[in-house]
Structure formats: C-alpha cells, structure tokens
Amino acid sequence: MGAETRLKGALERQAQWVERYRPALRVSEQGRVLSVGDGIAWIDGLPTAAMDEVLELEDGSRALVFHLKSERLGAILLYQTERLTAGTRVALTGRRLELPVGDALLGRIIDPLGTPLDGQAPPRCERWRPLDAPAPPIVDRAFVDRPLYTGNKIIDTMIPIGKGQRQLLIGDNGLGKSALAIDAVINQRGKSVKCVYVLVGQKRSTVVNTVEVLRQHGTLEHTAVVVAEATALPGLKYLAPFAGCAVAESWMQFGEDTLVVYDDITMHAQTYRELSLLLQRPPGREAYPGDIFYLHSRLLERATCLAPAAGGGSMTALPIVATKQGEIASYIPTNLISITDGQVYLDKALFDAGSLPAIDVTRSVSRIGGNAQHPRIKQEAGRTKLDYLQFLELEVFVRFGTRLEPAMEKRIRRGRALREALKQDRLAPLPVELQMAWLTAFNEGLLEEVDPGRVAERIEALADGLKREPLTLQDERATWVAAVKSWLQADSA
Amino acid sequence: MQLDWSTLVLEIVNFLVLVWLLQRFLYKPILKVVAARQAAIDEAARRTQQMESKARELQAQYEARLHNWEQERAQARGALLEELQGERSRALAALHETLEQERRKAGVLDERRRSEETARSERQAMEQALAFARRLLAGLSGPEVEAKLVQLAISELGHLPQARRSELREALNTSSEPPTVCSAYPLSLGQREALSRALGGLLDGARECSFREEPALLAGVRVNVGPWVLQVNVGEELSLFNTAASDGR
C-alpha cells in the first residue's frame, strides 16, 4: 500500500467515523479493585478485558491485564499511587502497552514505560512501538554474515559473533559476564551500531556504576539504558527486556544495526515466576510457569538480521544468565542455551586461577562461527581454537612431570604463549586491527620466543606500532608480517 | 784469380757445413714453427667450426624454445584474460546484486520513513483537532447543553435492548451501592427526578440514586451502575474521537 493510500486510509477512516457519528448513550464496563499488593491487583468486572490490555485506575495508577479468570482478572501494576486501594474503579483503555522509541532515547536512561530516570525532560519521540510484537517472519530474514566485534580476543577469534546473532553469556555471579557485555557495548563506539543496555532487577549501585562506566568511555551517546531496578514494581521488571527489545527493533526496522544486552535474564525469569505465582497460575518445574520457555523464546526470536527487502537492519542480542555453582544443566540456562545461537561460558576455576576473562573455550561455542568472521581474521584464527584445545589436553601430562618429545614441548610452549596472549583487562576492548596483529605475530611464532609473562608487553608493542603505522584488514599478509616483525624488533631493541 | 783446389774443397765443405747448420738450426725450427702454427691454425679453425655448429645448434634450440615460450605465453595470456573476464563478470554481477539489494533496502526504508512521517502528521492533525474541539466545547458548554444531553440520556435509556437491561439489572442486584449520577453542572430537581424515573423504568423498580458534580465531563451525565457505566457527556464524546484516531495508528 502506498503512502498516498495510507494517508487516505487513516484520515478517511476518521472521516467515515465522523460521518457515522451521532450523540448517543454510551455503555461501557468498569471494574473494581478487589485487592492490591506485591505489585499485582485483583479486579472484579471488566468481562471484555483482553490479555495485555492497559487498564487505567481511578486514582491515576496504571495496570496491565496479566491473568484472566472467570470471576475476576489479575493485573500487574505498572504505576502505583499511594491512593490505590480496594474499591478503586478501573476502566479499559482498549490499547496495548507502547513506549516511545527513536533516536531521542540515545544517551537516556528510562524505565520500561519510557519515563526518564536520569532527571532530564521526557525524550521527544515521534514514534511509539508496542512492547510485545511478533518476531519477523522467515522470509524477512537474511543469513548472519557480518561480524560484530566485541573487542574481546577470545570471542572475536574463537567464538565469533555476527550481527543478528543471539549469544548467551552464562556463568556464576561475579565472573565477569556484565563486564564482557559492557566491553562489547564500548567497542561499538564509532561503528554505527546503536546499543540498548537493559538492567533487570539490579541493585541501584550496579545501575549507577554501569551508567557511569558507559559515560566515561563516551559510549552513552550511542546507547539507551532501560532500567527496572531491584526496588521497581515486578511488572516493570517483567516488561524491561521487552521494552529494550522494542527500542532496538525500532532502529532495526530502519536499516540500522543494533546490540541489546539483557542483564540479566535469570532475574527476569524469577520475576515472571513471582508474578505468575501471585496470580495463581499453575506452577511447573522449579515453580516456574509452563510458558517460561515461550517468554524468552518470543523475546529472543525478535533478534535477527533482516533481508534487504525488509530494511536490512539487524539486532544482536547478548542475554546474560547466572548459574549456581557452574550448573549449566539447570532449567533456565538450558532453556536459554537451546534458544540462542551459542554461548560464552565463564568458569570459576579459570577466574580463581587469574585467567581473565574467565571464558572456558571448551564449553563455549558460536553456532554462526566463521560465517560471520572477516575472511582475514578467519584465516589467521583458523586453527587457533583447535590448537588451544589440544594444548589444554596436553598440559595435563605436564602436570604429571612426564618427559615429552620436542614436538610436544613446542606445542605446549606455543599453547602457553597463546593462553597469555588471550588474557585481557576489563574495559579495554581491542580494535580488530590489533586482533589481526597479535594473531599474525602468534602464527609467525613471534610470541613463543619470549617468557610467557612478557607476552602482554609484546602485544602492547604491537598496539603502539599499529598507532604509528596503521594497517587495515585489506592489506596483504606479507605486509602485516613485515610490520609485526619490525614492531616487535623495535620493542626488543 | 788462382783456383786453389783445397780452398775450393774447403769452401764447398764450408758451404755444406753452413747449409747443414742452417738446416739444423734455422730451417727445421722455422719449418717446425710454421708447421706448429699451421697445426694451431688448423686446430683453431676446427674448433671454430665446432663452436659454430654448436652455436647454430643452440640457436636453433633457443629459437625453438622461444617459439614454445611465445606459444605458452600467448596461451597463458589468453587464459589470464579469460579468467580476468570471468572475475570481472563475477565481480560486476556481485556488485549489481549488492546495488540491487541496497536499492531495495533504500526503497523499503524510504517507504517506511514516509509512512512514519505521514502517520505522525495525521496524528498531529487529529490531536490539534481534538484540542481545538475540547477548548471550544469547554467554553461553550453550559447548563443548557447539559439539559439537552440529559434529555438524550433519558430518551436512550428507554430504548436499551433487553439483553443490556438484564445485565444492568443483575449488576445492580448484586451491587451494594446505589446508582451514582455524575453531572458537569448541578442538576435541577426536575432533572434528577426524571433521571431516577428513567433508571427505575430500566431496572424495573424505583432506585434511589446518588448525585454529584464532575466538571471534567464538560456537559452531560455519567451513571455508574455496578460494573457498568452509562454516559452521555461531552468529555466522553471527545475521548471517543481520540480513541477512534488512535485506532487509526
């Protein structure tokens, strides 16, 4: 339908409504709050209320229909005033929940309803989007074939992420999942990727720290932050990921690349469980409601890469899931693992050993893999993961003190150099050119010559050399090899 | 001159000795040298001939090789040109495909932006219309308008379908509260009685109603009967317009 027809469509519909209009007695429903507490309200009446319909309460509160029973309905509160009490009248709005979206949200911190939390004026948005929307159909999707660089050495070389991929960050609390996600967001600066960081059920101090880190690294300019902190209404915590997704989706629909971080999905699942139990939905495994899988699958299926005929944008999702004592076979983690296109697993043993980031390469995978990697990086990193895994197996023998043949010794020396090379500080994402530099140096055997403790210095030298003589991924390998050798020689001298 | 036979013999011997000496020490070495030279020259000539024939051979070989190389070069050049042509065609095809995709994408995005802009303009137009109507009616509404709306309400109450009447009756029977009548302006006694009668007729029996004012209605009434709301007022009509406009989004 062309714009001309659509213009006629909306205005003409209104004109036809005006044509048919006559003043008359209007009969509508009104409900009454039976009880309110713990972020939910039981409401009597409103027999024609629809699921996910917004309700307006007499005192100014707002609620969302969440559970329909024959004699009453359960609603989650979105906004609650002090005057809300049993007996308050409730009216239907006939509308679904929407929030304002657009570029005005960049640099802003909002709640899932679009209310600003950063003390500034409400963002002036010209578009509104429903929080819950169907995922793009199959015909509108394209293959994931463009890389999204997180700036992390292990991820960008061995577990590459593509634009439009869903990659799970999983591990126990305190191992650096959020740090990885923040690094990924910081690395998108200057790359035309708009980011949305969703904080669900986090402490206020965590929210403040996250926002401050993003601001210090100049990342807030291309990031919108959606917050439903620990003290927020459960309804807002439930809606936060959907709000973040809607914000990113609005950019994706206009051909832009976006990155959404859900920090974290475990909190979201627990909030959904809480609301479902309060509203007397039948509990299932681990007391989660039966549709907990559908809750997350419908959220994450909206992250995709669109075909050119559908606008060509992309939404990359990084959901974060917390495990307990490294148990990834529990309910919510296994759900998320089956929904997503791969996982980055953080291991406590690696964290305790000081190997940071504590990414366990043996249990991490990217199902998109090399398809989304730049051909040059793919060529250089081709055998790295296999070599590293073989080294980890061989290292076991070293611990027993067995004597190994020279070829094995060489492999172990090489593996140790690689392990040192893969270590990385927080908040220090690497540009892809530096990834290329250290991979070239490693493949040429230039990092094995030194003591493992000095590998980090060598990589620093590569970074300095790259600043002096910038190279691109399009340059020939011979050029890279010569440059890398000269930079390392200059450093040795 | 006197010939002396001894001198003659001695001269002849001298001559012979000279000849012998010349032959021994001059003639033979010279001949030897000449012969050696001749041999050397012959040898050189022979070597030269050999080299010449070898050179001719090599030249022939070289020319043959050169000919082969020229052929191979021509073939390789042909193959390279073919490959370049193929690569060029492939690259052009890929470029055309990319351009086509970008064109399609740009078309879709352009269409979306235009739709958004159009929808925004429509929304703004309707919001302005609503705002204007609200201001106008807020200024013009008064007890006279309300009286007309009360008359309309009473008239419409009498024509409600039976199913709706049953629902209202049931709601009122189960509700502990009497019907509440809200109006923008205070209703006169006559208006109150008329409304009470109309509600009584609707609900098959007189019902005590409570009355209160609600200026937000602008003009007209709203009656709360349990879970049901019956309205004839300007505020509600303006909300209906707004709802119809929002549904057009």
Side-chain angles (χ1 to χ4, degrees):
Chain A
M1 204 195 314
E4 188 77 23
T5 314
R6 262 203 215 93
L7 173 68
K8 276 188 184 168
L11 283 178
E12 190 166 337
R13 273 200 302 275
Q14 190 73 359
Q16 283 171 2
W17 181 86
V18 170
E19 194 67 27
R20 288 191 308 264
Y21 169 81
R22 65 172 190 85
L25 181 70
R26 311 290 175 197
V27 183
S28 57
E29 302 161 14
Q30 69 174 8
R32 198 166 50 89
V33 174
L34 293 174
S35 64
V36 63
D38 298 324
I40 63 140
W42 286 106
I43 295 169
D44 182 36
L46 300 177
T48 63
M51 273 297 288
D52 295 331
E53 185 173 350
V54 177
L55 304 175
E56 297 279 357
L57 286 78
E58 194 182 16
D59 66 311
S61 304
R62 290 174 79 200
L64 193 71
V65 177
F66 198 73
H67 187 54
L68 294 171
K69 294 179 93 164
S70 55
E71 68 280 6
R72 55 183 177 165
L73 67 86
I76 55 174
L77 294 170
L78 303 177
Y79 172 69
Q80 184 177 1
T81 69
E82 290 167 356
R83 299 185 305 278
L84 178 61
T85 182
T88 303
R89 295 191 190 281
V90 184
L92 298 174
T93 61
R95 292 198 307 269
R96 298 169 67 87
L97 191 60
E98 294 183 336
L99 90 155
V101 295
D103 286 352
L105 294 181
L106 291 172
R108 302 300 304 272
I109 301 141
I110 58 170
D111 77 355
L113 303 179
T115 311
L117 301 176
D118 49 12
Q120 299 177 36
R124 294 170 64 95
C125 296
E126 293 174 350
R127 299 200 303 269
W128 289 70
R129 202 171 171 84
L131 269 68
D132 208 349
I138 294 173
V139 291
D140 283 352
R141 297 177 187 240
F143 289 110
V144 174
D145 58 4
R146 289 178 298 142
L148 181 109
Y149 297 114
T150 62
N152 180 273
K153 287 180 205 164
I154 300 176
I155 295 176
D156 290 348
T157 55
M158 293 192 269
I159 321 164
I161 299 176
K163 288 181 179 172
Q165 185 174 351
R166 293 85 46 86
Q167 187 77 349
L168 184 66
L169 302 180
I170 181 169
D172 287 359
N173 283 328
L175 296 188
K177 301 183 296 295
S178 298
L180 266 182
I182 290 173
D183 282 355
V185 171
I186 290 172
N187 200 48
Q188 303 318 309
R189 188 175 51 190
K191 293 187 172 66
S192 306
V193 176
K194 291 183 178 163
C195 303
V196 182
Y197 201 102
V198 182
L199 291 147
V200 182
Q202 304 290 332
K203 296 180 295 193
R204 189 167 292 183
S205 59
T206 307
V207 172
V208 169
N209 287 339
T210 302
V211 170
E212 198 49 42
V213 164
L214 293 175
R215 182 174 287 124
Q216 280 171 3
H217 287 80
T219 314
L220 218 49
E221 303 159 356
H222 65 259
T223 307
V225 183
V226 179
V227 177
E229 55 185 18
T231 55
L233 288 168
L236 293 181
K237 285 190 269 188
Y238 159 68
L239 291 170
F242 294 98
C245 188
V247 171
E249 219 170 28
S250 71
W251 289 321
M252 179 176 73
Q253 293 289 337
F254 280 92
E256 304 200 62
D257 295 322
T258 62
L259 169 66
V260 189
V261 177
Y262 301 109
D263 190 0
D264 62 48
I265 290 288
T266 319
M267 281 289 185
H268 183 240
Q270 288 168 3
T271 303
Y272 189 62
R273 177 173 61 184
E274 179 187 334
L275 287 171
S276 298
L277 289 172
L278 284 168
L279 289 167
Q280 296 172 5
R281 284 182 173 175
R285 177 179 166 184
E286 293 182 26
Y288 288 103
D291 62 345
I292 188 72
F293 185 97
Y294 174 57
L295 174 75
H296 295 138
S297 67
R298 75 174 188 265
L299 172 70
L300 293 172
E301 279 298 314
R302 291 159 70 179
T304 185
C305 183
L306 292 178
S314 71
M315 188 197 313
T316 309
L318 295 180
I320 295 177
V321 160
T323 53
K324 286 188 167 55
Q325 295 185 326
E327 184 54 58
I328 63 169
S330 55
Y331 191 25
I332 301 299
T334 47
N335 277 358
L336 270 294
I337 287 170
S338 59
I339 292 169
T340 51
D341 303 319
Q343 71 267 1
V344 175
Y345 179 74
L346 286 98
D347 186 58
K348 190 161 187 335
L350 287 172
F351 184 86
D352 293 339
S355 187
L356 300 175
I359 298 175
D360 185 349
V361 179
T362 59
R363 283 192 276 185
S364 302
V365 70
S366 167
R367 300 188 205 191
I368 306 293
N371 290 336
Q373 240 176 344
H374 191 283
R376 297 301 308 282
I377 299 285
K378 185 176 176 179
Q379 184 187 3
E380 293 297 330
R383 280 192 59 88
T384 311
K385 183 171 182 179
L386 189 58
D387 288 347
Y388 190 60
L389 294 174
Q390 287 175 346
F391 153 70
L392 290 174
E393 284 182 12
L394 281 177
E395 206 190 15
V396 173
F397 292 104
V398 175
R399 292 197 195 122
F400 293 131
T402 49
R403 289 191 62 182
L404 300 168
E405 57 187 37
M408 296 288 191
E409 293 270 357
K410 185 176 188 311
R411 259 202 200 166
I412 285 174
R413 205 168 42 246
R414 191 173 157 78
R416 282 182 178 149
L418 179 57
R419 183 163 55 195
E420 289 304 314
L422 291 173
K423 287 183 182 174
Q424 191 171 350
D425 289 333
R426 262 199 72 186
L427 304 175
L430 265 61
V432 66
E433 291 79 15
L434 185 52
Q435 305 273 23
M436 183 71 183
W438 81 259
L439 276 171
T440 307
F442 175 74
N443 288 333
E444 292 296 310
L446 301 172
L447 297 182
E448 301 156 37
E449 301 160 352
V450 298
D451 182 56
R454 290 200 54 213
V455 168
E457 288 175 21
R458 305 282 268 177
I459 294 179
E460 274 298 316
L462 293 176
D464 292 336
L466 204 52
K467 276 185 203 147
R468 290 193 306 270
E469 308 163 32
L471 291 174
T472 69
L473 296 184
Q474 274 67 44
D475 289 314
E476 293 290 326
R477 189 174 191 274
T479 312
W480 274 99
V481 171
V484 159
K485 281 181 177 165
S486 73
W487 296 335
L488 292 177
Q489 271 169 8
D491 176 60
S492 302
Chain B
M1 179 170 99
Q2 283 186 338
L3 277 176
D4 192 357
W5 289 106
S6 61
T7 304
L8 183 68
V9 168
L10 284 172
E11 287 295 334
I12 290 169
V13 168
N14 192 25
F15 178 74
L16 287 173
V17 167
L18 182 64
V19 166
W20 183 86
L21 283 172
L22 282 176
Q23 193 170 1
R24 177 85 168 77
F25 293 107
L26 183 69
Y27 192 60
K28 271 191 181 163
I30 287 174
L31 279 181
K32 220 184 257 181
V33 165
V34 167
R37 232 190 202 178
Q38 185 66 37
I41 288 171
D42 287 343
E43 181 62 25
R46 189 184 61 79
R47 271 206 302 269
T48 304
Q49 260 182 0
Q50 265 182 2
M51 282 172 67
E52 204 176 351
S53 66
K54 209 169 192 179
R56 269 200 291 271
E57 245 176 62
L58 284 173
Q59 187 183 11
Q61 260 181 25
Y62 171 73
E63 278 173 0
R65 209 178 285 175
L66 201 62
H67 176 69
N68 289 342
W69 282 347
E70 288 290 327
Q71 272 188 337
E72 279 172 22
R73 191 177 76 164
Q75 274 174 5
R77 194 183 174 83
L80 178 65
L81 283 173
E82 234 178 79
E83 195 180 324
L84 279 175
Q85 188 61 31
E87 196 57 41
R88 186 168 179 269
S89 307
R90 269 192 300 273
L92 269 175
L95 184 64
H96 281 134
E97 178 64 28
T98 306
L99 280 174
E100 183 55 36
Q101 284 183 355
E102 287 299 315
R103 202 174 293 129
R104 221 177 297 153
K105 181 177 157 183
V108 167
L109 296 179
D110 193 44
E111 177 64 30
R112 277 195 190 144
R113 282 191 198 102
R114 270 190 282 145
S115 299
E116 288 269 335
E117 198 53 45
T118 303
R120 193 176 63 86
S121 302
E122 288 169 5
R123 232 177 6 254
Q124 278 179 348
M126 288 193 242
E127 280 167 9
Q128 282 179 11
L130 185 63
F132 167 71
R134 195 179 288 279
R135 282 194 167 207
L136 180 67
L137 292 169
L140 295 179
S141 296
E144 302 82 13
V145 174
E146 183 156 279
K148 284 185 181 172
L149 292 172
V150 168
Q151 273 306 116
L152 178 62
I154 292 168
S155 160
E156 295 268 321
L157 278 171
H159 293 102
L160 277 177
Q162 189 56 43
R164 185 69 78 195
R165 285 169 174 256
S166 309
E167 282 169 349
L168 288 167
R169 203 173 302 132
E170 189 185 335
L172 200 54
N173 287 338
T174 52
S175 170
S176 57
E177 293 173 12
T180 309
V181 179
C182 304
S183 59
Y185 297 92
L187 294 172
S188 65
L189 193 59
Q191 284 173 326
R192 290 185 182 201
E193 282 173 1
L195 269 170
S196 298
R197 272 198 306 276
L199 281 169
L202 173 71
L203 304 168
D204 292 341
R207 299 293 173 123
E208 194 64 40
C209 300
S210 65
F211 294 85
R212 59 186 176 92
E213 282 80 52
E214 199 170 302
L217 300 178
L218 297 180
V221 291
R222 186 182 72 226
V223 182
N224 294 328
V225 182
W228 297 97
V229 179
L230 312 166
Q231 302 192 70
V232 180
N233 61 73
V234 171
E236 174 62 17
E237 298 305 291
L238 289 171
S239 295
L240 268 182
F241 179 88
N242 192 26
T243 305
S246 302
D247 288 346
R249 250 196 294 186

Short mmCIF file of all heavy atoms in Angstrom, two decimals, chain A residues 212-237:
data_model
loop_
_atom_site.label_atom_id
_atom_site.label_comp_id
_atom_site.label_asym_id
_atom_site.label_seq_id
_atom_site.Cartn_x
_atom_site.Cartn_y
_atom_site.Cartn_z
N GLU A 212 27.75 4.96 34.70
CA GLU A 212 28.95 5.80 34.81
C GLU A 212 30.08 5.26 33.93
O GLU A 212 30.79 6.04 33.28
CB GLU A 212 29.38 5.83 36.28
CG GLU A 212 30.31 6.97 36.63
CD GLU A 212 29.83 8.32 36.12
OE1 GLU A 212 28.62 8.61 36.22
OE2 GLU A 212 30.67 9.07 35.61
N VAL A 213 30.23 3.94 33.90
CA VAL A 213 31.27 3.35 33.04
C VAL A 213 30.99 3.68 31.58
O VAL A 213 31.87 4.07 30.82
CB VAL A 213 31.34 1.83 33.26
CG1 VAL A 213 32.10 1.16 32.13
CG2 VAL A 213 31.99 1.51 34.58
N LEU A 214 29.74 3.54 31.19
CA LEU A 214 29.39 3.82 29.80
C LEU A 214 29.63 5.30 29.48
O LEU A 214 30.13 5.65 28.40
CB LEU A 214 27.92 3.47 29.54
CG LEU A 214 27.55 1.99 29.60
CD1 LEU A 214 26.06 1.79 29.46
CD2 LEU A 214 28.29 1.20 28.55
N ARG A 215 29.34 6.15 30.42
CA ARG A 215 29.53 7.59 30.18
C ARG A 215 31.01 7.92 30.08
O ARG A 215 31.43 8.65 29.18
CB ARG A 215 28.90 8.39 31.32
CG ARG A 215 29.03 9.90 31.11
CD ARG A 215 28.30 10.71 32.14
NE ARG A 215 26.86 10.65 31.93
CZ ARG A 215 25.98 10.26 32.83
NH1 ARG A 215 26.38 9.93 34.03
NH2 ARG A 215 24.70 10.20 32.57
N GLN A 216 31.81 7.33 30.96
CA GLN A 216 33.25 7.64 30.96
C GLN A 216 33.92 7.23 29.64
O GLN A 216 34.88 7.84 29.22
CB GLN A 216 33.95 6.93 32.11
CG GLN A 216 33.78 7.64 33.44
CD GLN A 216 34.29 6.81 34.59
OE1 GLN A 216 34.83 5.72 34.40
NE2 GLN A 216 34.11 7.32 35.78
N HIS A 217 33.42 6.18 29.03
CA HIS A 217 34.03 5.72 27.78
C HIS A 217 33.35 6.30 26.56
O HIS A 217 33.56 5.83 25.46
CB HIS A 217 33.98 4.18 27.73
CG HIS A 217 34.96 3.54 28.65
ND1 HIS A 217 34.73 3.39 30.00
CD2 HIS A 217 36.21 3.06 28.43
CE1 HIS A 217 35.78 2.84 30.57
NE2 HIS A 217 36.69 2.63 29.66
N GLY A 218 32.53 7.34 26.76
CA GLY A 218 31.90 8.01 25.63
C GLY A 218 30.92 7.13 24.90
O GLY A 218 30.67 7.31 23.71
N THR A 219 30.38 6.13 25.61
CA THR A 219 29.53 5.15 24.95
C THR A 219 28.05 5.50 25.07
O THR A 219 27.23 5.01 24.31
CB THR A 219 29.75 3.78 25.62
OG1 THR A 219 31.14 3.57 25.75
CG2 THR A 219 29.16 2.68 24.80
N LEU A 220 27.74 6.37 26.00
CA LEU A 220 26.33 6.68 26.25
C LEU A 220 25.70 7.37 25.04
O LEU A 220 24.49 7.30 24.84
CB LEU A 220 26.22 7.57 27.49
CG LEU A 220 25.03 7.30 28.43
CD1 LEU A 220 24.91 5.83 28.76
CD2 LEU A 220 25.20 8.10 29.71
N GLU A 221 26.54 7.98 24.20
CA GLU A 221 25.98 8.70 23.04
C GLU A 221 25.28 7.76 22.08
O GLU A 221 24.39 8.17 21.34
CB GLU A 221 27.10 9.39 22.26
CG GLU A 221 27.91 10.33 23.09
CD GLU A 221 29.27 10.60 22.47
OE1 GLU A 221 29.60 9.97 21.44
OE2 GLU A 221 29.99 11.43 23.05
N HIS A 222 25.73 6.49 22.04
CA HIS A 222 25.08 5.57 21.11
C HIS A 222 24.36 4.45 21.86
O HIS A 222 24.10 3.39 21.30
CB HIS A 222 26.11 4.99 20.11
CG HIS A 222 27.16 4.12 20.75
ND1 HIS A 222 28.43 4.58 21.01
CD2 HIS A 222 27.13 2.84 21.18
CE1 HIS A 222 29.12 3.60 21.57
NE2 HIS A 222 28.37 2.54 21.68
N THR A 223 24.02 4.74 23.13
CA THR A 223 23.38 3.70 23.95
C THR A 223 22.15 4.25 24.65
O THR A 223 22.15 5.39 25.12
CB THR A 223 24.36 3.20 25.02
OG1 THR A 223 25.59 2.80 24.37
CG2 THR A 223 23.78 2.02 25.77
N ALA A 224 21.10 3.45 24.69
CA ALA A 224 19.94 3.75 25.53
C ALA A 224 19.94 2.74 26.66
O ALA A 224 20.20 1.56 26.42
CB ALA A 224 18.65 3.63 24.71
N VAL A 225 19.66 3.20 27.86
CA VAL A 225 19.68 2.30 29.01
C VAL A 225 18.24 2.18 29.55
O VAL A 225 17.60 3.18 29.86
CB VAL A 225 20.61 2.86 30.12
CG1 VAL A 225 20.68 1.88 31.28
CG2 VAL A 225 22.01 3.10 29.56
N VAL A 226 17.76 0.95 29.61
CA VAL A 226 16.41 0.68 30.15
C VAL A 226 16.60 0.01 31.50
O VAL A 226 17.27 -1.03 31.60
CB VAL A 226 15.62 -0.24 29.20
CG1 VAL A 226 14.25 -0.54 29.77
CG2 VAL A 226 15.50 0.39 27.83
N VAL A 227 16.02 0.60 32.51
CA VAL A 227 16.28 0.14 33.88
C VAL A 227 14.98 -0.22 34.58
O VAL A 227 14.01 0.54 34.57
CB VAL A 227 16.99 1.25 34.68
CG1 VAL A 227 17.20 0.81 36.12
CG2 VAL A 227 18.33 1.58 34.03
N ALA A 228 14.99 -1.41 35.18
CA ALA A 228 13.95 -1.77 36.15
C ALA A 228 14.72 -2.35 37.32
O ALA A 228 15.02 -3.54 37.34
CB ALA A 228 12.99 -2.79 35.55
N GLU A 229 15.05 -1.48 38.27
CA GLU A 229 15.96 -1.90 39.33
C GLU A 229 15.26 -2.81 40.32
O GLU A 229 14.07 -3.10 40.20
CB GLU A 229 16.56 -0.68 40.00
CG GLU A 229 15.52 0.27 40.53
CD GLU A 229 16.13 1.54 41.09
OE1 GLU A 229 17.28 1.85 40.77
OE2 GLU A 229 15.43 2.20 41.86
N ALA A 230 16.02 -3.24 41.31
CA ALA A 230 15.51 -4.24 42.26
C ALA A 230 14.28 -3.77 43.01
O ALA A 230 13.41 -4.56 43.38
CB ALA A 230 16.63 -4.62 43.23
N THR A 231 14.18 -2.45 43.26
CA THR A 231 13.05 -1.95 44.03
C THR A 231 11.86 -1.55 43.16
O THR A 231 10.85 -1.08 43.67
CB THR A 231 13.47 -0.70 44.84
OG1 THR A 231 14.02 0.26 43.93
CG2 THR A 231 14.51 -1.07 45.87
N ALA A 232 11.97 -1.77 41.87
CA ALA A 232 10.87 -1.39 40.97
C ALA A 232 9.73 -2.39 41.11
O ALA A 232 9.89 -3.49 41.64
CB ALA A 232 11.37 -1.37 39.53
N LEU A 233 8.57 -2.00 40.60
CA LEU A 233 7.44 -2.91 40.61
C LEU A 233 7.78 -4.17 39.80
O LEU A 233 8.44 -4.07 38.76
CB LEU A 233 6.21 -2.24 39.98
CG LEU A 233 5.53 -1.14 40.81
CD1 LEU A 233 4.54 -0.37 39.96
CD2 LEU A 233 4.84 -1.74 42.03
N PRO A 234 7.32 -5.34 40.24
CA PRO A 234 7.62 -6.56 39.47
C PRO A 234 7.14 -6.45 38.02
O PRO A 234 7.77 -7.01 37.12
CB PRO A 234 6.85 -7.66 40.23
CG PRO A 234 6.59 -7.11 41.57
CD PRO A 234 6.55 -5.63 41.46
N GLY A 235 6.05 -5.74 37.82
CA GLY A 235 5.56 -5.57 36.45
C GLY A 235 6.57 -4.88 35.55
O GLY A 235 6.75 -5.25 34.39
N LEU A 236 7.27 -3.91 36.11
CA LEU A 236 8.28 -3.20 35.31
C LEU A 236 9.47 -4.10 35.06
O LEU A 236 10.06 -4.07 33.97
CB LEU A 236 8.71 -1.92 36.02
CG LEU A 236 7.64 -0.83 36.13
CD1 LEU A 236 8.20 0.40 36.84
CD2 LEU A 236 7.11 -0.45 34.77
N LYS A 237 9.84 -4.91 36.04
CA LYS A 237 10.96 -5.83 35.85
C LYS A 237 10.60 -6.86 34.78
O LYS A 237 11.44 -7.27 33.97
CB LYS A 237 11.32 -6.53 37.17
CG LYS A 237 12.06 -5.62 38.15
CD LYS A 237 12.62 -6.37 39.32
CE LYS A 237 11.63 -6.40 40.44
NZ LYS A 237 12.19 -6.96 41.69
#
